[in-house]
């Protein structure tokens, strides 16, 4: 599903990087904050900057405790390992990141399978969830975890409505299941909808936010939940080699991002909207209107494959993602300006 443009030594220098918001680079001010960070042994709880970040994220998400981890994928894996046992079943959308982009980690690490539910824009309904529940049976895998991705990446960066999340989590809890939110782009949902992060997180037993996407830090994610759950998560962090030493250098970048890079996500959303409007005028391209910072372009009727589009754009110094057989993904972030958007629109029109 994720297919980066192959390196081309003859391609011109990369000027506009719309491949992913993971491509953001720490700003000079963020680097200075990292340089000046107080540090200590994170594994022993002695890093004051890590401790400050975890406490702040726990408050932001309305949870008792939080744990700093190197990546969002590790947050998902540790949450799954904490909630599930070998042979268990997780219910998620069929396009969920834990299915499509984490190397089969639920199966490989936790021994848990993922049952993917269909639905447009990465969503499924309360009726879909109810229909997937089997009840206790000695013949079937125990269904122990509901997983939701906010925003839905392969759903076009779509924002789950709060009422839907509350209803789904309620059904899962009533069925005896735990609930987990993959909040890789949760702050994009917060900025786009005006709903507080704690409100989105409230129905979920565990939730995390990533600092390496739109928030622009070079490293780090924070998983939050009850104190007991995070205590269990620490065991898995230790087992997986995620315990760190003077990681406050990284946490300082995350704290800087919370102070300076959340509100500005609205700029990314505005740039994505403008990009979608511009590309909608290019013959043979069908645009999925964006909720946030992800623009998906279906090029099936353009006469060119997504790979051919990506190659032609890369020849002009523009990098995009190839997403499957017919789609391109263009992701706006803090290293993409409004002028870059106009240049990209013009490049598409010129190729066509």
């Amino acid at each position: 599903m994720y297919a980066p443009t192959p390196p081309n030594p003859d391609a011109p220098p990369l000027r506009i990087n719309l491949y992913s918001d993971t491509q953001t680079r720490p700003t000079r001010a963020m680097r200075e904050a990292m340089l000046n960070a107080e540090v200590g042994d994170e594994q022993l709880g002695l890093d004051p900057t890590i401790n400050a970040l975890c406490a702040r994220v726990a408050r932001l998400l309305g949870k008792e405790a939080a744990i700093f981890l190197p990546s969002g994928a590790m947050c998902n894996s540790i949450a799954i390992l904490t909630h599930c046992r070998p042979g268990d079943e997780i219910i998620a959308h069929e396009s969920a990141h834990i299915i499509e982009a984490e190397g089969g980690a639920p199966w490989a690490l936790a021994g848990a399978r993922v049952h993917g539910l269909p639905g447009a824009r990465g969503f499924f309904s309360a009726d879909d969830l109810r229909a997937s529940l089997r009840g206790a049976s000695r013949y079937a895998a125990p269904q122990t975890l509901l997983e939701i991705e906010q925003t839905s990446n392969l759903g076009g960066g779509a924002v789950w409505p709060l009422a839907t999340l509350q209803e789904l989590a309620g059904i899962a809890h009533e069925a005896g299941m735990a609930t987990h939110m993959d909040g890789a782009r949760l702050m994009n949902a917060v900025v786009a909808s005006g709903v507080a992060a704690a409100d989105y997180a409230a129905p979920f037993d565990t939730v995390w936010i990533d600092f390496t996407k739109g928030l622009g830090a070079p490293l780090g994610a924070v998983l939050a939940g009850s104190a007991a759950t995070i205590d269990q998560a620490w065991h898995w962090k230790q087992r997986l080699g995620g315990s760190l030493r003077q990681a406050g250098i990284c946490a300082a970048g995350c704290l800087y991002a919370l102070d300076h890079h959340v509100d500005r996500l609205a700029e990314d959303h505005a740039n994505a909207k403008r990009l979608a409007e511009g590309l909608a005028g290019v013959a043979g391209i069908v645009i999925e209107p964006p909720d946030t910072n992800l623009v998906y372009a279906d090029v099936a009727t353009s006469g060119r494959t997504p790979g051919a589009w990506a190659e032609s754009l890369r020849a002009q110094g523009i990098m995009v993602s190839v997403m499957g057989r017919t789609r391109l993904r263009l992701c706006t972030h803090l290293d993409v300006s409004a002028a870059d958007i106009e240049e990209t629109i013009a490049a598409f029109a010129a190729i066509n």
Side-chain angles (χ1 to χ4, degrees):
M1 184 64 70
Y2 293 84
T5 305
N8 180 356
D10 299 321
L14 180 61
R15 295 179 297 102
I16 303 173
N17 193 335
L18 292 158
Y19 177 73
S20 175
D21 41 12
T22 60
Q23 304 295 294
T24 55
R25 296 159 296 180
T27 63
R28 179 172 293 276
M30 180 182 283
R31 289 171 186 256
E32 290 174 355
M34 296 170 72
L35 176 67
N36 295 321
E38 279 191 84
V39 298
D41 192 324
E42 184 262 1
Q43 188 179 35
L44 298 180
L46 299 177
D47 191 302
T49 311
I50 287 282
N51 294 343
L53 175 64
C54 289
R56 183 165 175 183
V57 173
R59 290 194 302 271
L60 176 69
L61 300 177
K63 302 301 183 186
E64 291 180 342
I67 184 172
F68 181 80
L69 294 165
S71 70
M74 187 175 279
C75 287
N76 276 338
S77 288
I78 286 180
I80 289 169
L81 286 161
T82 300
H83 292 304
C84 299
R85 296 296 175 266
D88 285 358
E89 182 175 279
I90 302 161
I91 297 177
H93 190 270
E94 63 184 2
S95 69
H97 200 269
I98 60 171
I99 296 176
E100 293 287 346
E102 296 184 10
W107 293 266
L109 300 180
R113 72 182 190 185
V114 187
H115 175 47
L117 301 183
R121 306 187 74 208
F123 300 160
F124 53 84
S125 70
D127 288 341
D128 295 329
L129 177 58
R130 288 191 187 96
S132 73
L133 298 177
R134 294 185 297 268
S137 168
R138 68 179 66 178
Y139 303 106
Q143 295 173 306
T144 55
L145 182 64
L146 171 69
E147 191 263 6
I148 297 286
E149 188 179 317
Q150 177 75 307
T151 63
S152 171
N153 178 4
L154 296 182
V159 178
W160 283 85
L162 177 59
T164 302
L165 295 178
Q166 292 169 333
E167 185 177 16
L168 291 172
I171 293 168
H173 285 145
E174 187 175 348
M177 302 171 69
T179 55
H180 171 65
M181 175 180 282
D182 173 338
R185 295 184 176 90
L186 175 58
M187 300 314 294
N188 288 93
V190 168
V191 170
S193 67
V195 175
D199 291 337
Y200 278 133
F204 293 86
D205 299 302
T206 49
V207 57
W208 60 273
I209 59 174
D210 197 333
F211 290 94
T212 69
K213 294 186 170 67
L215 297 181
L219 163 66
V222 176
L223 174 69
S226 70
T229 297
I230 297 304
D231 187 55
Q232 293 178 56
W234 258 104
H235 285 281
W236 284 110
K237 176 173 174 168
Q238 186 72 27
R239 288 166 178 160
L240 296 178
S243 295
L244 305 167
R245 302 303 179 189
Q246 291 74 32
I249 292 173
C250 302
C254 300
L255 286 166
Y256 182 90
L258 287 175
D259 288 334
H260 301 281
H261 289 172
V262 174
D263 291 342
R264 65 147 307 282
L265 291 172
E267 299 174 26
D268 298 340
H269 300 168
N271 282 337
K273 182 178 180 181
R274 169 59 191 139
L275 180 60
E277 291 171 348
L279 295 185
V282 178
I285 293 181
V286 178
I287 294 296
E288 302 169 24
D291 283 357
T292 51
N293 68 321
L294 303 180
V295 178
Y296 279 81
D298 193 303
V299 299
T301 62
S302 70
R304 297 169 61 90
T305 66
W309 276 100
E311 185 177 346
S312 295
L313 289 164
R314 185 64 186 88
Q316 300 182 60
I318 301 170
M319 189 173 182
V320 301
S321 295
V322 173
M323 306 295 281
R325 287 186 257 180
T326 67
R327 295 202 300 173
L328 297 171
R329 188 188 74 175
L330 299 89
C331 184
T332 59
H333 51 80
L334 61 83
D335 286 343
V336 176
S337 68
D340 292 335
I341 297 300
E342 298 304 323
E343 185 173 344
T344 299
I345 295 168
F348 268 86
I351 293 169
N352 195 58

